[in-house]
């Protein structure tokens, strides 16, 4: 029985997430969700915990617990926001930068090998992925393309 494309997308996403989590746990002793948080902090610059929670789609208390654990591991720095209040600004430590850089490079190499194994040219895969991400970003900004 042939599955529909939407189902296949869900299965592929779940498999990629599980594989990433297994690799991160085994090689770096960090969960995929925590790695995503570190990656987003790097991409966003020095976000607040609230901004990170919004990007991850989780609650602020959840991000607060996660960032405390990442700070305790020496991967993340959480400082009071200069604008005041109870907000905290997040940034990667040097150890966090090294981890994110290393993992991203390793994942890129593994993904390239997987894509090549599937018979799909990697440059085509990368081009189509970039176009899909651009379409998502356009939709999130309220575009109609």
């Amino acid at each position: 029985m042939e599955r529909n494309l939407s189902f296949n997308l869900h299965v592929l996403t779940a498999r990629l997430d599980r594989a990433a989590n297994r690799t991160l746990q085994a090689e770096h002793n960090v969960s995929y969700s925590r790695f995503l948080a570190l990656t987003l902090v790097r991409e966003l610059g020095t976000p607040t915990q609230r901004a990170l929670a919004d990007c991850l789609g989780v609650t602020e208390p959840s991000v607060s617990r996660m960032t405390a654990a990442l700070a305790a591991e020496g991967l993340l720095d959480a400082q009071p926001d200069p604008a005041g209040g109870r907000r905290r600004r997040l940034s990667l430590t040097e150890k966090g930068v090294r981890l994110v850089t290393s993992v991203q490079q390793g994942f890129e190499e593994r993904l390239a090998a997987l894509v090549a194994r599937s018979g799909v040219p990697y440059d085509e895969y990368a081009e189509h992925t970039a176009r899909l991400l651009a379409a998502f970003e356009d939709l999130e900004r309220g575009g109609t393309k």
Side-chain angles (χ1 to χ4, degrees), residues 58-119:
V58 299
T59 65
E60 267 191 88
S62 176
V63 163
S64 180
R65 288 186 299 274
M66 182 187 298
T67 57
L70 290 168
E73 294 171 27
L75 298 168
L76 190 68
D77 187 36
Q79 295 293 321
D81 190 331
R86 293 181 8 187
R87 291 181 298 195
R88 300 183 60 76
R89 288 279 171 183
L90 307 172
S91 61
L92 295 182
T93 63
E94 284 300 316
K95 182 179 175 182
V97 169
R98 285 192 308 273
L99 175 71
V100 170
T101 301
S102 171
V103 170
Q104 285 178 335
Q105 181 179 349
F107 279 0
E108 179 76 18
E109 291 167 1
R110 285 180 167 111
L111 182 60
L114 179 63
V115 170
R117 184 175 180 172
S118 75

Side-chain angles (χ1 to χ4, degrees), residues 11-86:
V11 170
L12 177 61
T13 301
R15 284 185 171 175
L16 288 170
D17 287 350
R18 282 193 310 270
N21 193 58
R22 279 192 306 269
T23 299
L24 286 163
Q25 292 285 359
E27 296 177 11
H28 302 283
N29 197 32
V30 67
S31 71
Y32 185 54
S33 61
R34 288 184 180 182
F35 174 73
L36 286 177
L38 293 170
T39 300
L40 282 170
V41 168
R42 182 177 182 174
E43 294 299 315
L44 296 171
T46 55
T48 62
Q49 287 183 173
R50 176 182 295 257
L52 181 59
D54 288 345
C55 286
L56 290 170
V58 299
T59 65
E60 267 191 88
S62 176
V63 163
S64 180
R65 288 186 299 274
M66 182 187 298
T67 57
L70 290 168
E73 294 171 27
L75 298 168
L76 190 68
D77 187 36
Q79 295 293 321
D81 190 331
R86 293 181 8 187

Side-chain angles (χ1 to χ4, degrees), residues 128-141:
H128 290 290
T129 299
R131 289 171 59 193
L132 282 167
L133 288 172
F136 273 119
E137 289 173 12
D138 184 56
L139 282 172
E140 288 173 353
R141 287 190 302 268

